[in-house]
Amino acid sequence: MAQIFHRSTNTVAKVTLFGAVFFVAVAGWVAATLDRSAYSTRQGVVREQPVPFSHDHHVVALGIDCRYCHTAVETEAFAGIPPTTTCINCHKLIWNESDMLAPVRASLAEDTPIRWTRVHDLPDFVYFDHSIHVAKGVGCATCHGRVDQMPLVYQAASLQMEWCLECHRHPERYVGPREQVFNMAWKAPDQATLGPALVAEYHVDPRTDCSTCHR
Amino acid sequence: MRTSAPLVAAALALLVFAGCRQGMYDQARYEPYEDSDFFADGRASRLLVEGTVPRGWLRADPVLYTGIGADGGFAAELPVALTRELVERGRQRFEIFCSPCHGRTGDGLGMIVQRGFKQPASFHEARLRAMPYGYFFDVVTNGFGQMSSYASMVPVADRWAIAAYVRVLQTSRYIAVDELPAEDRRRLEAAR
């Protein structure tokens, strides 16, 4: 009986077998890369704001502490975004005719909040709480990067689950002294010895079971 | 090999649907300060209904919550215990909320004043040194001239801590050298 398939079909079949594995692997890799890309996580993407509020200017040049504006960060889940009156504390006398601040004055006059564009926004099925992280010595800069050097805020970390878990599994790599949480420039002289010591001192024990963050 | 077809199909479906950001990402509930198309003013975080008192906000003790004593004058005594922790807390809060204008030492030359804000009186002048604790509590609560009220930013307990720390700042400039503890005195001598 004559052969139905030409000899070369063997090669084609082998290539196809390999190709299928290769195709699935590449597809997986593309999906994973896309998922981690800035396009999907919005990491590093600067967001336009209704008022060009500069952390660089207010934190570094003027020396204002994060807690002057983000008053709830030590006690609550939500860090707090300052109300218009907080800006007015200073801007009633400073730059009070500048066009840049016109939306702030309008907000005060009309009693309507300023609509800031959210930069960090976890999905609604994730629970996050600032107060516990601050209380256990995780600095703002660890998660938010050098906000004090950002003329407009962007997201410094991916905020993906793997990012949370990396620290929840190895807190000793990130935990610092409580007094330095708000010091954006703080760098541990020797994290390898300081980290484990602080983890023991503060009883740091972040959980990794699903219900910690998905509740 | 037969079982692998559904598996592969499922894996591919997972890959495809991993890109979907629907319902669960933005659920039908509000986050703090989110905007709302339900309420007329667009705020999801509702303001208090006038005349209501939230739990834990009953202000039954007038001295503690107003700084005004029974005689109608400013309270001369702290309504909370004066401890080292209170003063340390006061220092921390003073440096966050007051030092931008009043300066870390209370001389009224903070950074915002240097950029053109009205210069407040120094806490070290005789008039303010004579003011009772209740006065400082009252200014933080109700504001004073061009200074806004800080009541929404500084909770009651912290306002008393700040008042206690202001007194510490004021006292610090009028301690005789021989009243200093030996350790501080040595440091002073060394700095000279």
Side-chain angles (χ1 to χ4, degrees):
Chain A
M1 198 174 87
Q3 275 188 327
I4 298 175
F5 294 106
H6 190 263
R7 261 173 182 283
S8 65
T9 334
N10 284 340
T11 328
V12 172
K14 278 183 198 148
V15 169
T16 317
L17 274 180
F18 172 76
V21 172
F22 183 74
F23 175 79
V24 169
V26 167
W29 176 81
V30 168
T33 311
L34 270 183
D35 197 39
R36 288 193 179 88
S37 69
Y39 172 74
S40 155
T41 63
R42 297 188 289 186
Q43 184 174 7
V45 179
V46 172
R47 230 59 66 78
E48 286 297 319
Q49 298 289 353
V51 183
F53 174 80
S54 161
H55 279 79
D56 183 9
H57 211 128
H58 289 84
V59 175
V60 177
L62 303 174
I64 309 174
D65 193 285
C66 310
R67 290 165 285 183
Y68 185 95
C69 292
H70 304 296
T71 48
V73 76
E74 290 168 298
T75 48
E76 269 150 56
F78 184 69
I81 292 292
T84 305
T85 49
T86 300
C87 315
I88 296 297
N89 284 350
C90 296
H91 286 292
K92 63 176 156 190
L93 294 184
I94 286 184
W95 286 45
N96 54 3
E97 274 156 27
S98 151
D99 285 345
M100 248 195 262
L101 285 154
V104 177
R105 292 191 298 272
S107 156
L108 186 77
E110 292 156 19
D111 190 25
T112 45
I114 303 174
R115 286 168 185 260
W116 300 107
T117 312
R118 262 200 102 131
V119 181
H120 300 74
D121 194 4
L122 291 174
D124 283 2
F125 53 79
V126 181
Y127 173 76
F128 178 79
D129 189 323
H130 274 94
S131 62
I132 182 80
H133 292 91
V134 171
K136 299 277 176 159
V138 186
C140 312
T142 313
C143 298
H144 291 299
R146 293 299 298 270
V147 178
D148 60 332
Q149 295 174 353
M150 299 179 188
L152 282 177
V153 187
Y154 56 83
Q155 193 181 307
S158 73
L159 300 192
Q160 285 187 314
M161 183 162 136
E162 60 181 7
W163 173 78
C164 309
L165 287 177
E166 155 63 17
C167 177
H168 276 218
R169 289 192 182 120
H170 309 286
E172 69 284 353
R173 293 182 192 161
Y174 303 95
V175 168
R178 283 187 186 123
E179 314 79 72
Q180 303 295 348
V181 165
F182 300 92
N183 178 354
M184 304 298 285
W186 193 79
K187 277 261 176 310
D190 182 14
Q191 186 70 27
T193 48
L194 183 71
L198 289 175
V199 163
E201 188 187 334
Y202 299 161
H203 306 288
V204 175
D205 185 17
R207 294 181 298 143
T208 49
D209 41 298
C210 317
S211 61
T212 308
C213 310
H214 304 293
R215 40 175 104 180
Chain B
M1 274 315 270
R2 205 168 295 153
T3 53
S4 68
L7 261 183
V8 169
L12 282 176
L14 260 182
L15 285 178
V16 172
F17 293 124
C20 300
R21 296 204 154 209
Q22 291 159 347
M24 298 299 276
Y25 275 76
D26 201 5
Q27 296 167 13
R29 64 171 167 81
Y30 290 123
E31 293 185 356
Y33 301 168
E34 198 170 312
D35 69 1
S36 154
D37 48 19
F38 180 76
F39 295 105
D41 64 359
R43 300 179 214 209
S45 300
R46 307 305 301 153
L47 303 172
L48 279 184
V49 176
E50 219 166 303
T52 53
V53 180
R55 247 167 201 278
W57 283 75
L58 181 62
R59 290 345 194 180
D61 179 347
V63 180
L64 184 63
Y65 293 106
T66 63
I68 312 280
D71 58 357
F74 295 116
E77 298 294 325
L78 284 176
V80 291
L82 180 59
T83 58
R84 185 164 190 107
E85 287 80 64
L86 184 81
V87 174
E88 294 285 359
R89 174 80 183 172
R91 173 186 190 148
Q92 190 197 50
R93 297 290 126 174
F94 181 88
E95 288 179 356
I96 297 170
F97 293 105
C98 318
S99 71
C101 298
H102 290 275
R104 290 191 167 217
T105 58
D107 57 5
L109 288 171
M111 188 52 98
I112 309 302
V113 171
Q114 293 175 32
R115 297 296 172 104
F117 204 82
K118 180 176 178 182
Q119 184 178 345
S122 164
F123 290 158
H124 304 288
E125 70 176 39
R127 178 178 62 89
L128 285 172
R129 281 167 48 76
M131 283 296 183
Y133 286 116
Y135 178 67
F136 298 97
F137 182 91
D138 178 75
V139 171
V140 181
T141 309
N142 300 315
F144 178 91
Q146 287 294 353
M147 175 181 149
S148 316
S149 157
Y150 278 73
S152 63
M153 292 158 74
V154 186
V156 169
D158 285 346
R159 281 178 238 162
W160 286 114
I162 289 174
Y165 182 65
V166 168
R167 184 95 319 147
V168 170
L169 281 177
Q170 292 176 328
T171 314
S172 69
R173 293 206 174 172
Y174 292 86
I175 300 273
V177 175
D178 46 336
E179 282 176 52
L180 285 177
E183 172 62 18
D184 288 340
R185 218 162 126 183
R186 222 172 298 124
R187 282 186 16 217
L188 186 73
E189 301 292 332
R192 231 194 300 184

